[in-house]
Amino acid sequence: MVLVTLKKYHGLGNDYLIYDPNQNRELLQERQIQLLCRRNTGVGADGILSGPVLENEKIKVRIFNPDGSEAERSGNGIRIFSKYLKDAGYVKEKCYELWTKAGPVQVEFLDEDASRMKVDMGYAAFGADSIHAVGFEGDMINESVFFCDNFYNITCVSMGNPNCVVMMEEISKNKALHLGPYVENSKYFPNRINMQLCHVVDRENIQIEIYERGAGYTYASGTGACAAASAAHKLGLVGNRVQVHMQGGDLLVEFAEDDRVFMTGPVVYIGSITLAENFFA
Ligand SMILES: N[C@@H](CCC[C@H](N)C(=O)O)C(=O)O
């Protein structure tokens, strides 16, 4: 009898399952990830964090979208996985380094129960090559691009993973649901892309709606928040400290003197799940 156990956490309503290979026997296959993430017939999640894999003194995590594809990075995923590492006793320090497919990030726990963290997300990159965009050269800042029904002003940002920030006067969930699939699967982005609709409220506040690659509409995104704030910062629309307002709540994004990006926000533990023996059958 093989019992599969998972933990569930969320960051501002962006929910993830933790699959710890040290507690379970086998690695999850693409089809199993899809089944687990289904809202009505599975456990339901915006993604799966598989780890920790402990190698050469590095702590590694793999990030999977609900369609089974692997993401290079996830901001909420990093905070969620960090809380799990604390809760499960893997990490005892106040600061530690976590390795994602896109390289390492530095995490600082801001309180005893690891429910709030500040993460050094590295630098935003705006080059077409950093998101493997086709048909563009150099930085993709404030480009007018046609998607489905209209021209949109976009700024593309790699936060380790690819993001397309669409600047708009008014944003809504319906607009994200309408435009998201066209942007995600556009011919310009053969690796697909995450989309953020972004409304700049003032120099300290922006509002975003998110449509994620491999996941669809989500309540919040850490890399999405950093990408949108970075786009607004690059365009000179915001200062060095930006509150990013999303359906699920707010993340603070800060820029250092050299434009290094820091993300601060919460994580909540939901519970532990043991799958029915025949769940994958
Ligand atoms: N929810 C995330 C981003 C997850 C990965 C994304 N869907 C991708 O494929 O890049 C976040 O909080 O950053």
Side-chain angles (χ1 to χ4, degrees), residues 11 14 16 46 63-66 69-79 121 160-163 191-194 210-216 218 220-225 251 263:
N14 193 203
Y16 277 89
D46 289 331
I63 302 158
F64 295 97
N65 289 316
S69 61
E70 185 167 2
E72 303 86 343
R73 195 164 273 177
S74 159
N76 286 323
I78 288 167
R79 296 199 322 283
M121 298 287 284
N161 65 346
N163 295 276
N191 282 0
R192 299 188 291 157
I193 202 159
N194 299 288
I210 303 138
Y211 193 91
E212 280 190 34
R213 174 178 67 169
T218 57
S221 165
T223 47
L251 278 175
M263 166 195 71

Side-chain angles (χ1 to χ4, degrees), residues 199-206 237-239 242:
H199 167 64
V200 177
V201 179
D202 57 34
R203 290 194 64 79
E204 281 91 39
N205 295 280
I206 64 172
L237 303 173
V238 295
V242 185

Side-chain angles (χ1 to χ4, degrees), residues 2 52 55 72 88 92 95 97 112 144 161 165 174 177 179 209 232 258 261 269:
V2 183
E55 253 173 30
E72 303 86 343
K92 304 231 184 313
C95 298
E97 185 173 77
E112 275 305 301
S144 178
N161 65 346
V165 182
N174 280 345
L177 284 170
L179 191 58
E209 290 283 356
D258 64 351
V261 183
Y269 175 52

Side-chain angles (χ1 to χ4, degrees), residues 113-135:
D113 64 352
S115 58
R116 209 171 163 75
M117 275 143 263
K118 181 170 182 175
V119 184
D120 176 347
M121 298 287 284
Y123 297 98
F126 299 90
D129 55 342
S130 65
I131 55 158
H132 307 289
V134 169

Side-chain angles (χ1 to χ4, degrees), residues 9-12 14-16 18 46 48-49 61-65 71-83 96 98 100-103 105-108 115-122 158-163 194 196 210 212-213 218 220-227 246 251-253 261-268:
Y9 290 75
H10 79 91
L12 304 170
N14 193 203
D15 56 344
Y16 277 89
I18 311 269
D46 289 331
I48 294 197
L49 305 169
V61 63
R62 294 183 70 189
I63 302 158
F64 295 97
N65 289 316
E72 303 86 343
R73 195 164 273 177
S74 159
N76 286 323
I78 288 167
R79 296 199 322 283
I80 286 170
F81 195 70
S82 299
K83 176 158 172 58
Y96 86 106
L98 177 64
T100 66
K101 200 176 172 194
V105 290
Q106 317 295 324
V107 180
E108 180 187 354
S115 58
R116 209 171 163 75
M117 275 143 263
K118 181 170 182 175
V119 184
D120 176 347
M121 298 287 284
S158 170
M159 289 305 311
N161 65 346
N163 295 276
N194 299 288
Q196 297 85 33
I210 303 138
E212 280 190 34
R213 174 178 67 169
T218 57
S221 165
T223 47
C226 292
M246 297 170 280
L251 278 175
L252 173 65
V253 177
V261 183
F262 293 84
M263 166 195 71
T264 303
V267 176
V268 174

